[in-house]
Amino acid sequence: MGIRYYSAMTQVIIVGFVCFLCPGMFNALNGTGGGGQLNPTTGNNANTALYSTFVVFGVLGGAIVNLCGVRWTIFGSGFTYALYSGSYIYLNHTGNGAFTIAAGAILGVGAGILWAAQGMIMVSYPREEEKGRYIAIFWVIFNLGGMLGGILPFAINYNSDSGSLSDGVYIAFVILECLGAFLGLALAPPAKVTRDDGSSVVLVKYTSVGREAIEILKLFMNPLMLGLLPMCFTSNFFYTYQFDNINGALFNVRTRGFNNIFYWGFQMVGSYAISFLLDTPRLERKKRGYIAFAVVFIVFNAIWGGSLALHNKYPGGLSLGDRIDFKDSKRAGGPIVLYIFCGIGDALYQTFAYWIIGALSNDGQLLARYIGFYKGMQSFGGAIAWQLDAKSVAPKNQLVANWVLFAISVPSMLYVVWSIKEHSENQDVGVGDAGVVDEEKTNVS
């Protein structure tokens, strides 16, 4: 293929579509509350299993990608998403959640590796002044998957309100996720990828299992990674409350799909909007970080304040027959707008977090480890949050926990932003798709 195929932007777009079809579909499924089931217990336990293995393989993911390359790790990981979605068909027919919970644990392995590979591509391929834009472009494509995944249950269940998604929705998810896995093979080896200025994303770099093990251990002694830890932990914790205790508890099944169209759609808006701030050349990089922090701080406090008001209106949720339909404009308007702002807030938070990590280095191997640490600690928080809901912890207590955790993350978030330098000290280095690049192996695949 021509040089455009090997451009950094093309590769970010390809990995964006992989995530459109795999994690995007998973997000849409999760966003319906309880994996689309009337009883969310199995979905909550599956998510606990998922995020528990994700903790380990998120942290290890960067090392695995450095050793095995991006194409085959993403290809294999994509099928774990299809297995998880397919497990709900079995659940629909048997009521036995064991397979779904096991599939969740397997998905945690695949997701940890996939997100490490995705993050490495997204934050190490662009030049420093382009990182916010590349993150936003990825986030827009990725969240198109969530939008499509919201359209599917909305359309297929439009005339049905059984409380659970039909087999047809799950089958559609499986097909799309398998396509995403195969699309991973379309990625070019990093050794062949070039930026718009003609520079390669890969210079000389060597790695081994021993070196990766040592570098992973160093992450837990790195002051900047420890500073990011509260932000990492909090960054998926809020999904449980938003998906299960707002969307899942207050709306009927077709309206959950309707809501997710806008939840994920406005994620694209939020990420793209903040990218202009994060990449503006008119401000020093640290100032951009402080302003972005202020935006995230204001938006999230507004979200949790609005959530508290909504909780006080519907403290026990709503029974199945009384759940809100999108056509009931008097009841639906406020809660739907709040849920949309939850999506915007998530996009601002995640884009900001990725930008911070990308600002710490330009080293592809190092960034793969940083992203793995971020996703692993993020999943640690997610595992706890899903299990709290599975154990029927009161929704108000979950809401308070989210607000408190966000407040705790604020000082350390500011510390990491304060530590950002105008230019990263590391050289642009990375690995080839087979895990090792040297001066005579720049075309390794």
Side-chain angles (χ1 to χ4, degrees):
M1 295 185 183
I3 187 66
R4 291 180 64 83
Y5 166 67
Y6 292 111
S7 72
M9 177 60 76
T10 299
Q11 298 306 305
V12 169
I13 289 172
I14 291 173
V15 81
F17 277 106
V18 170
C19 292
F20 165 99
L21 291 165
C22 292
M25 294 301 109
F26 168 80
N27 280 348
L29 182 59
N30 239 18
T32 60
Q37 297 289 304
L38 175 60
N39 185 339
T41 302
T42 296
N44 288 340
N45 286 327
N47 273 302
T48 301
L50 188 165
Y51 285 109
S52 296
T53 53
F54 201 153
V55 172
V56 177
F57 282 88
V59 174
L60 295 178
I64 293 170
V65 171
N66 286 341
L67 292 165
C68 302
V70 296
R71 293 187 297 176
W72 291 104
T73 51
I74 288 179
F75 171 71
S77 297
F79 288 108
T80 64
Y81 286 88
L83 176 67
Y84 179 75
S85 296
S87 73
Y88 280 97
I89 300 172
Y90 178 80
L91 180 62
N92 270 351
H93 290 273
T94 67
N96 186 344
F99 179 39
T100 300
I101 294 169
I106 294 169
L107 174 55
V109 176
I113 298 169
L114 182 144
W115 279 107
Q118 172 276 330
M120 186 274 285
I121 291 171
M122 185 176 69
V123 299
S124 72
Y125 281 18
R127 293 174 294 173
E128 287 185 352
E129 64 271 20
E130 300 173 325
K131 292 192 178 187
R133 182 165 65 95
Y134 273 61
I135 294 168
I137 289 170
F138 166 82
W139 210 254
V140 167
I141 298 170
F142 163 48
N143 283 295
L144 283 171
M147 282 189 68
L148 176 61
I151 292 169
L152 288 173
F154 175 64
I156 295 174
N157 291 277
Y158 188 84
N159 295 314
S160 170
D161 191 21
S162 64
S164 296
L165 297 180
S166 65
D167 287 354
V169 177
Y170 292 119
I171 290 170
F173 282 153
V174 170
I175 292 170
L176 292 169
E177 286 159 349
C178 286
L179 288 173
F182 280 105
L183 184 59
L185 296 177
L187 288 163
K192 296 183 179 181
V193 180
T194 58
R195 301 187 176 93
D196 291 341
D197 61 3
S199 63
S200 173
V201 303
V202 172
L203 295 180
V204 180
K205 199 73 174 180
Y206 302 91
T207 192
S208 66
V209 173
R211 180 187 172 189
E212 290 298 329
I214 292 170
E215 294 300 328
I216 287 172
L217 291 175
K218 285 182 179 178
L219 292 174
F220 293 91
M221 297 179 282
N222 184 327
L224 292 177
M225 289 298 99
L226 295 178
L228 276 175
L229 206 157
M231 185 181 190
C232 301
F233 184 90
T234 306
S235 61
N236 266 13
F237 197 92
F238 49 75
Y239 281 162
T240 307
Y241 182 82
Q242 293 172 358
F243 293 161
D244 276 11
N245 294 300
I246 297 179
N247 203 31
L250 299 182
F251 299 97
N252 61 22
V253 68
R254 71 175 182 181
T255 305
R256 291 184 231 165
F258 175 83
N259 291 346
N260 278 331
I261 296 170
F262 294 96
Y263 180 94
W264 301 113
F266 274 86
Q267 288 235 6
M268 297 186 287
V269 176
S271 181
Y272 196 66
I274 200 170
S275 72
F276 290 100
L277 166 63
L278 296 174
D279 281 349
T280 180
R282 291 177 293 179
L283 297 172
E284 295 177 355
R285 190 150 68 164
K286 191 176 293 188
K287 284 185 179 179
R288 287 177 254 159
Y290 285 135
I291 296 171
F293 163 80
V295 171
V296 169
F297 180 84
I298 292 167
V299 169
F300 262 84
N301 278 291
I303 287 170
W304 295 130
S307 297
L308 180 61
L310 182 64
H311 173 84
N312 289 337
K313 186 174 183 179
Y314 302 111
L318 292 168
S319 62
L320 180 61
D322 191 40
R323 289 186 181 173
I324 301 170
D325 187 78
F326 74 100
K327 291 184 177 180
D328 184 359
S329 58
K330 289 184 179 179
R331 290 204 304 165
I336 289 176
V337 169
L338 173 64
Y339 192 63
I340 288 171
F341 267 93
C342 289
I344 294 171
D346 181 32
L348 295 175
Y349 197 105
Q350 306 296 344
T351 302
F352 182 47
Y354 275 117
W355 179 84
I356 289 174
I357 294 171
L360 297 178
S361 176
N362 295 319
D363 181 329
Q365 282 188 358
L366 186 60
L367 287 173
R369 299 181 198 113
Y370 282 179
I371 294 293
F373 179 88
Y374 172 67
K375 298 303 291 187
M377 296 303 101
Q378 180 185 73
S379 301
F380 183 36
I384 293 173
W386 287 109
Q387 194 55 209
L388 290 176
D389 201 52
K391 297 298 184 184
S392 301
V393 172
K396 188 172 184 178
N397 291 341
Q398 293 184 48
L399 169 58
V400 170
N402 272 286
W403 210 341
V404 169
L405 284 171
F406 178 74
I408 291 172
S409 71
V410 166
S412 59
M413 207 184 305
L414 280 171
Y415 163 70
V416 178
V417 173
W418 174 79
S419 302
I420 291 174
K421 297 179 180 179
E422 189 62 24
H423 297 288
S424 301
E425 294 179 354
N426 302 84
Q427 296 298 313
D428 293 312
V429 291
V431 295
D433 207 44
V436 177
V437 171
D438 63 30
E439 292 169 334
E440 297 179 355
K441 296 181 181 179
T442 55
N443 291 325
V444 166
S445 63

